[in-house]
Amino acid sequence: MPSPLLSVLVPAYDQQKQLSECLDSLLAQSFRDFEVIVVADRSADTPAGIVDSYAARYPQVSALHLDAAVGVGVARNAAAARAAGEYLLFLDADHLLARDALQTLADRLGQTGPVDVLLFGHTRRHGGRDWPGGAEALLAEAGPEPFGPLERPEVFGAPPLIWDRLVRREHWHAQGLAFPDGRYEEVPVVHAAMLAARRIAVLPRACVQLRRRETVHPTGSPGSGVFDIFDQYERSFALLEELPDADAVRDALFTRMIRHYLFVFDLAGCVARAERPQFFHRAAEHHRRFLPAGHRRPGGREGVKFSLLAGGAYPAFEVAKLSHIAKGTLTGSARRKASA
């Protein structure tokens, strides 16, 4: 039997009871040249019964059972080792695909020929609203032709997500790619795949929707925590040490790193109140340590946050945040009164 074009790899962590919807969106695809490998470990959040039910009913779906609670990264590694497709697509239980998403990806690969990484867009649904994924402008500006990582260093400014890109399976194994332990495990893997790629292409269209009902990161490996994000970015910057002419990549990656830290810091439920000063100062230390020469901060309020972080001014940062919240509340109140 010939290998499929795509292997879709899904760790079955189903904290929000969405795995069935994810699998249904895959099985409803108009494109059929794909396999689905669903990984069930011994985590309390893994519905092994659902996994086995889909594997029994649908020939395209296979279940991979692991004997311990291992976390998302190890589950993904196990699935990648089992995959037979030409390209790997990593999804989570809280993802949905548009009905023609896989066909659109296959058509784009038909246009580009073999590439090591194909980036595409995504949306986020939270609080009853759809939000853009954060890389739309980068994808639109990259153009239709494949490129090398140093030709388009700005793509390293995109959020480092493993599920909004295809990775060629041969590239994955040739580079020895694997998710490390801890949360935010996809950060160094995404950057390693990009930096080692000979040909990268983009598809400026949203193919996947994230439907996270909670704001916290999904299950990491046992013992993982929010502070793992710092180790993951250290791994990413270590990749640049032996890469010549990487200054532009370093600058884009630095901006993405600081944006990621500030996003996690501000996101409700991510950093415990008692840990906020420590998290802020760890982020400030990375700002000093990895700041590229000649770096220009973003403008506006984001630039102010970068500046406060650069100075390690945690009290000032919190005051500025509270002032912004208060200003927004007062502005909203005034608007309601004006419209009454």
Side-chain angles (χ1 to χ4, degrees), residues 188 191-192 195 230-243 250 253 289-290:
H191 295 143
L195 287 169
F230 300 109
D231 294 333
Q232 309 299 15
Y233 272 100
E234 287 186 7
R235 291 184 173 101
S236 290
F237 273 92
L239 297 169
L240 299 179
E241 292 304 316
E242 298 181 5
L243 188 67
R250 186 182 303 275
L253 183 57
R289 178 176 165 189
F290 295 118

Side-chain angles (χ1 to χ4, degrees), residues 3-339:
S3 298
L5 179 66
L6 303 175
S7 290
V8 185
L9 315 177
V10 186
Y13 293 98
D14 198 19
Q15 296 167 321
Q16 301 171 49
K17 312 304 179 188
Q18 296 171 301
L19 178 62
S20 293
E21 296 173 63
C22 173
L23 296 177
D24 288 343
S25 79
L26 279 166
L27 294 165
Q29 291 295 301
S30 57
F31 180 81
R32 305 307 297 171
D33 189 18
F34 68 95
E35 65 171 352
V36 183
I37 301 175
V38 189
V39 186
D41 74 354
R42 294 295 184 91
S43 166
D45 292 317
T46 298
I50 292 177
V51 175
D52 290 336
S53 173
Y54 274 85
R57 286 185 289 154
Y58 301 101
Q60 284 176 287
V61 179
S62 61
L64 176 57
H65 290 272
L66 304 180
D67 291 333
V70 296
V72 170
V74 173
R76 287 172 173 162
N77 292 337
R82 175 76 66 89
E86 185 177 350
Y87 290 89
L88 307 178
L89 172 60
F90 296 90
L91 295 181
D92 293 322
D94 52 7
H95 292 142
L96 278 182
L97 276 72
R99 184 177 176 84
D100 63 344
L102 297 188
Q103 183 64 61
T104 304
L105 293 170
D107 290 345
R108 180 63 177 135
L109 290 173
Q111 295 169 350
T112 64
V115 294
D116 294 319
V117 182
L118 173 64
L119 291 83
F120 53 87
H122 72 272
T123 60
R124 296 171 180 262
R125 185 162 186 80
H126 183 70
R129 294 181 59 187
D130 292 338
W131 307 84
E136 290 72 18
L138 292 176
L139 296 178
E141 293 170 3
E145 298 301 321
F147 53 86
L150 299 185
E151 296 174 295
R152 289 284 186 179
E154 63 271 18
V155 297
F156 288 86
L161 305 168
I162 197 60
W163 44 267
D164 66 357
R165 62 202 68 206
L166 299 179
V167 182
R168 193 164 59 94
R169 181 168 61 91
E170 182 179 323
H171 180 61
W172 181 273
H173 292 302
Q175 301 304 322
L177 297 176
F179 295 94
D181 288 337
R183 293 189 190 177
Y184 307 100
E185 69 292 327
E186 58 198 322
V187 170
V189 176
V190 164
H191 295 143
M194 297 283 287
L195 287 169
R198 289 174 296 176
R199 301 181 82 236
I200 300 169
V202 303
L203 171 64
R205 175 189 159 171
C207 294
V208 176
Q209 182 177 76
L210 171 66
R211 303 163 302 135
R212 190 159 295 163
R213 294 175 184 152
E214 305 295 336
T215 56
V216 296
H217 189 273
T219 306
S221 57
S224 64
V226 69
F227 284 84
D228 295 340
I229 194 172
F230 300 109
D231 294 333
Q232 309 299 15
Y233 272 100
E234 287 186 7
R235 291 184 173 101
S236 290
F237 273 92
L239 297 169
L240 299 179
E241 292 304 316
E242 298 181 5
L243 188 67
D245 304 319
D247 288 348
V249 171
R250 186 182 303 275
D251 193 77
L253 183 57
F254 175 83
T255 299
R256 169 44 53 192
M257 176 185 73
I258 299 303
R259 282 177 171 157
H260 201 167
Y261 291 168
L262 292 172
F263 175 80
V264 170
F265 187 74
D266 285 342
L267 198 59
C270 274
V271 184
R273 186 179 184 87
E275 295 177 332
R276 288 177 67 79
Q278 181 186 358
F279 188 97
F280 183 91
H281 290 301
R282 285 286 301 276
E285 189 274 328
H286 270 198
H287 191 293
R288 293 189 296 271
R289 178 176 165 189
F290 295 118
L291 178 66
H295 174 73
R296 297 181 63 181
R297 292 176 188 145
R301 182 171 178 267
E302 185 182 38
V304 173
K305 294 169 75 173
F306 270 56
S307 180
L308 292 171
L309 182 65
Y314 173 68
F317 188 96
E318 292 287 38
V319 168
K321 179 181 177 182
L322 290 173
S323 298
H324 178 77
I325 293 172
K327 181 180 178 182
T329 301
L330 290 172
T331 301
S333 177
R335 287 174 178 168
R336 285 192 295 272
K337 290 179 180 179
S339 62

